[in-house]
């Protein structure tokens, strides 16, 4: 019996070590996963607020019932004038951000964000152009591509003709 008892204890201790190792591995995996997800959350939050953070606006006004900045509807012209007539408002500028569909040259589509702003205003984010000129944005149907999205949008470069939501545009 003593030998049998020792064997039983030894097997139980081995099983306990194995169970403990699995538990530590599970906890370690959970911590790594939570850390990765937290990093992704902070990155998405920073990306989502990038346009607002770089604007010089003291106050942003949107259409009623907008759920998110990316799916906002443009403000009707009447509201534009109502906001500009409020005492203390120095200027009103239009600034629109929308999600859209970019048609890829090789077929298929990619999601993209379209940002429209007045280049003469103060809401325009600082543009560091690698190619092309900011002044070219005054041309009809002109678009620029953020370097971080170039590969996703079919590697389009200055001078390329593209299609965004069924409308033709030229990369400048």
């Amino acid at each position: 019996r003593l030998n049998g008892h020792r064997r039983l204890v030894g097997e139980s201790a081995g099983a306990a070590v194995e169970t403990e190792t699995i538990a530590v591995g599970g906890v370690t995996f959970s911590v790594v996963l939570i850390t990765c997800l937290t990093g992704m959350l902070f990155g998405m939050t920073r990306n989502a607020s990038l346009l607002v953070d770089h604007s010089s606006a003291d106050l942003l006004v949107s259409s009623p019932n907008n759920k998110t900045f990316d799916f906002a509807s443009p403000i009707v012209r009447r509201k534009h004038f109502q906001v500009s007539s409020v005492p203390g408002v120095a200027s009103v500028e239009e600034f629109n951000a929308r999600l859209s569909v970019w048609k890829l040259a090789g077929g298929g589509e990619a999601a993209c964000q379209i940002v429209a702003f007045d280049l003469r205003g103060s809401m325009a984010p600082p543009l560091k152009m690698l190619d092309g000129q900011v002044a070219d944005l005054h041309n009809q149907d002109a678009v620029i591509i953020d370097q971080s999205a170039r590969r996703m949008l079919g590697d389009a470069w200055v001078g390329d003709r593209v299609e965004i939501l069924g409308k033709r545009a030229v990369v400048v």
Side-chain angles (χ1 to χ4, degrees):
R1 279 188 158 180
L2 193 54
N3 285 340
H5 182 65
R6 283 186 185 162
R7 193 174 318 136
L8 183 61
V9 170
E11 288 175 3
S12 295
V17 169
E18 185 177 305
T19 303
E20 185 177 304
T21 302
I22 291 171
V24 168
V27 169
T28 303
F29 177 75
S30 298
V31 169
V32 169
L33 185 61
I34 289 170
T35 303
C36 289
L37 291 174
T38 302
M40 289 172 58
L41 174 66
F42 287 145
M44 289 187 324
T45 302
R46 187 183 58 80
N47 191 39
S49 67
L50 195 62
L51 295 171
V52 174
D53 292 344
H54 284 92
S55 76
S56 61
D58 294 324
L59 180 67
L60 294 172
V61 179
S62 70
S63 297
N65 301 321
N66 278 337
K67 303 251 186 278
T68 68
F69 187 71
D70 292 334
F71 293 109
S73 301
I75 295 176
V76 294
R77 203 74 177 141
R78 184 180 79 246
K79 293 290 184 189
H80 178 92
F81 293 116
Q82 284 179 335
V83 171
S84 63
S85 69
V86 172
V89 173
S91 66
V92 176
E93 294 177 32
E94 290 187 48
F95 185 86
N96 296 308
R98 306 259 337 198
L99 293 177
S100 191
V101 178
W102 182 285
K103 181 145 182 143
L104 300 172
E109 298 174 337
C112 66
Q113 183 178 36
I114 304 295
V115 179
F117 51 85
D118 185 352
L119 285 171
R120 298 170 303 241
S122 61
M123 287 285 295
L127 299 174
K128 297 175 187 168
M129 306 276 288
L130 297 178
D131 294 311
Q133 303 295 321
V134 174
D136 292 339
L137 284 172
H138 290 288
N139 297 334
Q140 181 80 18
D141 302 325
V143 296
I144 59 173
I145 299 174
D146 188 280
Q147 185 66 23
S148 65
R150 185 176 305 282
R151 184 181 298 153
M152 181 187 74
L153 298 176
D155 209 28
W157 288 91
V158 172
D160 289 349
R161 296 192 180 283
V162 297
E163 186 177 318
I164 305 167
L165 202 58
K167 300 198 185 240
R168 298 233 178 241
V170 178
V171 178
V172 297

